[in-house]
Amino acid sequence: MAPTNVLTHSRARNAVVAALAALALFGCSSDDPERDEETGELSTSGDVGVFDLEVGDCLGEETGEGEIESLEAAPCSEPHTEEIFAALTVPDGDYPGQEALDAEAEGCLEEFAEFVGMPYEESVLEINYMTPTEESWSMGDRELLCTVYDPDAETTGTLQNANR
């Protein structure tokens, strides 16, 4: 199966968002979990193609390194490793390169304070983000997903307004 979408997954900490690892994600939807018809939130766990991930989804597994087609996603009421808290749109144009995409991911810091309820620099929580690769960019991918996680433990429930 040819990849339909590819994202790079990077971990960030402190005021400057720095990529520590890259992860190629190939988006093919399989075993989609159910979503609540009114809220759009996940109501069951299952594999979600990377392009079907939405703000508010919680990831039930660590993404690790390597090529994957989907991620295990779960309702935030279940134990999970990360929560998608923002989606940023990267401006159109030629593929900007990973360094420029990492700079765009600094927007996650602004969104973080609004979502968690305190500045990133004062929080014990961490940020991850997923950016388009050159291949997915050529297919129209302009979305950068910001995730939040507790580096010390899995989370049960949302981190929205966690103030920690």
Side-chain angles (χ1 to χ4, degrees):
M1 175 184 298
T4 56
N5 302 301
V6 182
L7 301 173
T8 299
H9 178 83
S10 301
R11 176 163 298 178
R13 184 64 177 145
N14 297 323
V16 176
V17 180
L20 297 177
L23 172 66
L25 303 174
F26 293 93
C28 294
S29 193
S30 63
D31 262 356
D32 287 340
E34 294 179 23
R35 291 189 180 274
D36 182 280
E37 289 182 24
E38 291 181 27
T39 66
E41 294 177 6
L42 294 172
S43 56
T44 61
S45 299
D47 289 336
V48 177
V50 293
F51 276 102
D52 295 326
L53 292 170
E54 298 179 9
V55 172
D57 288 353
C58 289
L59 305 179
E61 65 177 305
E62 289 188 28
T63 53
E65 291 185 31
E67 294 180 2
I68 59 174
E69 294 178 353
S70 60
L71 295 172
E72 176 72 23
C76 293
S77 59
E78 296 179 12
H80 56 274
T81 58
E82 297 178 53
E83 179 176 354
I84 300 172
F85 70 93
L88 308 175
T89 302
V90 180
D92 276 331
D94 292 335
Y95 178 71
Q98 191 59 50
E99 191 172 310
L101 290 170
D102 291 341
E104 288 285 336
E106 289 185 31
C108 293
L109 297 173
E110 296 167 21
E111 298 289 333
F112 179 92
E114 186 174 323
F115 182 79
V116 172
M118 67 185 309
Y120 179 71
E121 297 80 12
E122 298 172 18
S123 177
V124 297
L125 302 174
E126 300 270 345
I127 291 175
N128 283 341
Y129 59 93
M130 293 178 264
T131 65
T133 64
E134 190 167 5
E135 183 180 354
S136 70
W137 188 272
S138 70
M139 295 181 271
D141 180 16
R142 303 293 185 271
E143 187 171 65
L144 188 150
L145 296 176
C146 307
T147 67
V148 60
Y149 69 100
D150 183 334
D152 296 326
E154 284 189 331
T155 301
T156 301
T158 182
L159 290 171
Q160 187 171 13
N161 299 318
N163 290 309
R164 59 183 180 108

